[in-house]
Amino acid sequence: MTELVIRPERSADFAAIRQVLVAAFGDDEVADGVDRIRESWIYRPATSLVAVSDGEVVGHVMITGCTVTGEAGERPVAMLTPLGVLPEHQRRGIGAALVRAALAGAEEAGEPYVVLEGSPKYYGALGFRTAGDYGIEMELPDWAPPEAAQVYLLPTYDPADPTLRGKISYPPVYG
Ligand SMILES: CC(C)(COP(=O)(O)OP(=O)(O)OC[C@H]1O[C@@H](n2cnc3c(N)ncnc32)[C@H](O)[C@@H]1OP(=O)(O)O)[C@@H](O)C(=O)NCCC(=O)NCCS
C-alpha cells in the first residue's frame, strides 16, 4: 500500500501544487489565486498542506485568513479554500485527509472556527455545519444554496462571543 504523507507546503512544492490545482479545477484561476495568497496577510503556512504519495504531490489544501464583521466589530477568522486533488487520485480519501489535517492545524492555532463555501454534502460529511445557523453570513454565487456557506466549530468556539457573528469578507486576493 502506498503511504500518504500530509505536511506543510514548501517552496519546492509550488510548481507541483500548481499542476494539481490546474488539473483539479480545469484552469489557472485557482492556482493564480494561491500565488496571490502566499504574498498576502491571509497566508498561513502552517495550514497550507500538501498530500504526498510515492514522492508525488497529489493534493493541496489551504486554511487562510479572512474577516468577520458584525455588531461587535471586525476580527480575523479562518477560511478553508482551496482544496484540490489530482483527478487520478480522487475518491481515495485524500481530500478528507487534507481537510482533517488542516482543521487540526487551525485547532492548534486556537481558532474558534473555520468557514468555507462548498458542497454541503461533501463538507457536511466531514463535520461542517450551515454557517447561517451560527450567525455567520457569507456572500454566495446565485447558483449556490444557502447551505453552501459552512462552518466547522473548534473547541474554543464560544456561542456567546458576539465577535464571532457577522458577515465574512473575502480578502481582495480572491478577486
Ligand atoms: C473535491 C475534491 C477535493 C475531493 O477529493 P477526494 O480526494 O476525491 O475526496 P475524498 O476521497 O475524501 O471523498 C470522495 C467523495 O466525495 C465526493 N465528492 C467529491 N466532490 C464532491 C462534490 N463537489 N460534492 C459532493 N460530493 C463530492 C465523491 O463523490 C466521493 O464520494 P464517494 O466516495 O461516496 O463516491 C476533489 O474531487 C477535487 O479536487 N475536485 C475539484 C476541485 C474542487 O471542486 N474542490 C473543492 C472546492 S474548493
Side-chain angles (χ1 to χ4, degrees):
M1 216 176 101
T2 47
E3 195 197 358
L4 186 74
V5 174
I6 295 190
R7 59 159 176 79
E9 65 176 25
R10 306 170 186 143
S11 52
D13 303 318
F14 291 174
I17 292 168
R18 169 167 285 273
Q19 284 181 4
V20 168
L21 295 173
V22 170
F25 289 92
D27 60 34
D28 289 338
E29 203 179 320
V30 173
D32 291 347
V34 162
D35 286 345
R36 291 195 296 272
I37 287 170
R38 293 195 187 107
E39 298 299 319
S40 85
W41 70 268
I42 72 168
Y43 183 42
R44 299 184 180 189
T47 51
S48 297
L49 310 178
V50 285
V52 181
S53 174
D54 285 337
E56 183 193 8
V57 174
V58 295
H60 180 249
V61 68
M62 277 182 156
I63 288 183
T64 66
C66 63
T67 54
V68 62
T69 311
E71 282 171 17
E74 180 183 289
R75 65 172 280 172
V77 287
M79 173 181 277
L80 189 152
T81 190
L83 168 69
V85 173
L86 276 182
E88 58 272 30
H89 290 266
Q90 289 177 7
R91 305 182 90 140
R92 293 180 195 164
I94 296 172
L98 279 165
V99 170
R100 288 197 189 98
L103 290 172
E107 178 174 343
E108 206 167 302
E111 292 298 330
Y113 59 55
V114 176
V115 293
L116 62 75
E117 176 195 321
S119 155
K121 186 167 171 265
Y122 185 73
Y123 291 104
L126 291 168
F128 282 80
R129 307 169 189 202
T130 304
D133 293 348
Y134 298 88
I136 303 162
E137 289 169 56
M138 295 176 78
E139 217 167 289
L140 296 170
D142 291 342
W143 49 263
E147 308 79 54
Q150 294 170 77
V151 63
Y152 188 95
L153 305 177
L154 290 164
T156 62
Y157 173 71
D158 174 3
D161 182 349
T163 70
L164 297 178
R165 292 191 290 273
K167 193 168 177 197
I168 298 293
S169 299
Y170 300 93
V173 289
Y174 289 109

